[in-house]
């Protein structure tokens, strides 16, 4: 039996887990147990160029847990589906799958949501099909970007212009505007670095360096970033500056750095949060 039975599924592409995605989860939680339906292998099937995720896979549960206070103290859960298994489904077949195979009680989607093979279905058809199968359908207005007028990040799709999107987050990271990134995400951007062996990290009293190959998600553009924090665990953030160059990320500390925590056996995993 699928974990989603009796739940409310939010529909969308949840790369960034931004404030628009959070609003979908909040609306789902008002009706039942909230789930995010995510597609696995979409880039491979469609032949897209590989690109780093905005949120590291290992960090997604932490982000979703942070939404719980806004979701009736329920942490939204991700339910993955292989994209290859739904790619050629018609809108009707897709909704039928949600009903018969996943047993969901309802869906939440944005008013610009498209679904089915070649995006044939829209939100109005989603409502009609859900009614046919006895499911609830809750369509919400997109969360708008309040700063869109000063930043050239509009989507080429006129229907999406002005709304918060993963594309906007990627653009803001590409220009190093971390205040804007934080506004779109509803939290500070966190980079995750990992390595199997200590040698990957170069440590001294006031600095830790690592090659970019250690990054599990998308960094901002090369440059200097003040007011950052290193998290070896979530309990003890250490203030630092971050310098990103073409090959490495460097964490600089005013006081003696956390190198002493990097002397035990790996694998190593560090979090770096960017202040504003």
């Amino acid at each position: 039996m699928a974990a989603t039975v009796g739940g409310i599924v939010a529909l969308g592409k949840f790369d960034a887990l931004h404030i628009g995605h959070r609003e979908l989860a909040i609306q789902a939680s008002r009706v039942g147990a909230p789930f995010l339906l995510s597609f696995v292998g979409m880039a491979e099937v469609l032949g897209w160029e590989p690109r780093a995720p905005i949120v590291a896979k290992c960090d997604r549960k932490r982000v979703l847990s942070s939404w719980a206070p806004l979701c009736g103290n329920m942490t939204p859960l991700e339910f993955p589906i292989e994209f290859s298994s739904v790619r050629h489904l018609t809108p009707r077949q897709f909704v039928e799958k949600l009903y018969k195979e996943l047993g969901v009680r309802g869906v939440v989607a944005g008013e610009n949501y498209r679904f089915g093979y070649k995006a044939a279905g829209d939100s109005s058809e989603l409502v009609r099909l859900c009614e046919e199968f006895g499911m609830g359908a809750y369509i919400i207005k997109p969360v708008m970007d309040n700063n869109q007028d000063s930043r050239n990040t509009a989507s080429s799709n006129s229907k999406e212009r002005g709304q918060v999107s993963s594309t906007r987050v990627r653009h803001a990271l590409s220009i190093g505007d971390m205040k804007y990134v934080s506004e779109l995400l509803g939290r500070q951007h966190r980079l995750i670095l990992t390595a199997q062996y200590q040698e990957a990290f170069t440590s001294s009293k006031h600095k830790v360096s690592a090659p970019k190959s250690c990054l599990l998600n998308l960094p901002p553009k090369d440059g200097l970033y003040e007011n950052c924090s290193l998290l070896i665990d979530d309990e003890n953030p250490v203030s630092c500056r971050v310098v990103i160059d073409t090959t490495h990320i460097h964490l600089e500390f005013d006081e003696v750095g956390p190198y002493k925590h990097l002397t035990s056996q790996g694998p190593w995993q560090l979090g770096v949060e960017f202040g504003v």
Side-chain angles (χ1 to χ4, degrees):
M1 182 179 294
T4 51
V5 170
I8 308 299
V9 171
L11 302 174
K13 298 175 184 175
F14 299 103
D15 179 17
L17 295 178
H18 54 59
I19 57 175
H21 297 146
R22 185 179 68 189
E23 187 62 27
L24 289 172
I26 291 171
Q27 294 300 324
S29 72
R30 291 174 177 170
V31 188
F35 291 86
L36 305 184
L37 190 69
S38 57
F39 297 116
V40 178
M42 193 171 185
E44 292 81 357
V45 170
L46 297 177
W48 294 347
E49 284 291 323
R51 60 182 184 177
I54 294 171
V55 183
K57 184 176 180 180
C58 62
D59 197 36
R60 293 177 69 84
K61 185 177 289 187
R62 176 193 67 86
V63 175
L64 294 175
S65 295
S66 73
W67 294 358
L70 301 173
C71 295
N73 292 320
M74 293 181 286
T75 297
L77 300 177
E78 290 196 273
F79 188 82
I81 289 182
E82 288 291 337
F83 179 68
S84 58
S85 71
V86 299
R87 180 188 183 187
H88 294 291
L89 297 184
T90 65
R92 178 184 175 81
Q93 288 170 331
F94 177 70
V95 173
E96 185 176 16
K97 182 181 181 73
L98 295 179
Y99 176 70
K100 291 186 176 180
E101 295 183 26
L102 304 187
V104 304
R105 189 158 56 87
V107 301
V108 177
E111 61 183 18
N112 295 329
Y113 181 69
R114 308 287 307 193
F115 69 106
Y117 186 52
K118 295 186 177 180
D122 60 12
S123 58
S124 60
E125 185 168 9
L126 180 64
V127 171
R128 181 181 65 79
L129 289 169
C130 284
E131 288 177 350
E132 182 179 330
F133 284 97
M135 295 190 297
Y138 310 91
I139 306 302
I140 67 172
K141 292 185 178 297
V143 175
M144 304 307 291
D145 175 9
N146 293 327
N147 295 301
Q148 59 171 307
D149 56 341
S150 61
R151 295 166 169 110
N152 183 24
T153 57
S155 167
S156 59
N157 183 342
S158 60
K159 290 185 178 180
E160 295 182 1
R161 285 182 186 155
Q163 74 182 66
V164 172
S165 68
S166 296
T167 299
R168 286 174 182 268
V169 177
R170 286 184 178 275
H171 180 80
L173 285 168
S174 75
I175 61 175
D177 189 342
M178 302 313 293
K179 182 176 186 295
Y180 188 29
V181 171
S182 296
E183 291 169 359
L184 294 169
L185 295 179
R187 63 183 184 278
Q188 292 181 335
H189 182 55
R190 182 180 293 193
L191 276 183
I192 304 295
L193 300 87
T194 188
Q196 288 298 119
Y197 304 101
Q198 182 184 354
E199 288 75 12
F201 295 130
T202 304
S203 305
S204 67
K205 286 186 177 181
H206 295 280
K207 189 174 182 178
V208 174
S209 299
K212 282 184 172 178
S213 59
C214 291
L215 294 175
L216 297 185
N217 58 317
L218 186 65
K221 79 167 187 175
D222 296 354
L224 168 65
Y225 298 90
E226 302 279 0
N227 304 316
C228 299
S229 298
L230 169 65
L231 299 105
I232 295 175
D233 57 59
D234 283 332
E235 303 298 323
N236 300 299
V238 180
S239 297
C240 65
R241 291 178 299 278
V242 174
V243 178
I244 303 175
D245 61 30
T246 54
T247 60
H248 284 73
I249 177 169
H250 310 277
L251 314 178
E252 300 177 347
F253 309 93
D254 289 329
E255 300 179 359
V256 174
Y259 65 95
K260 58 183 177 294
H261 295 284
L262 302 176
T263 56
S264 59
Q265 187 175 357
W268 310 99
Q269 184 165 294
L270 305 177
V272 180
E273 283 196 346
F274 290 80
V276 296

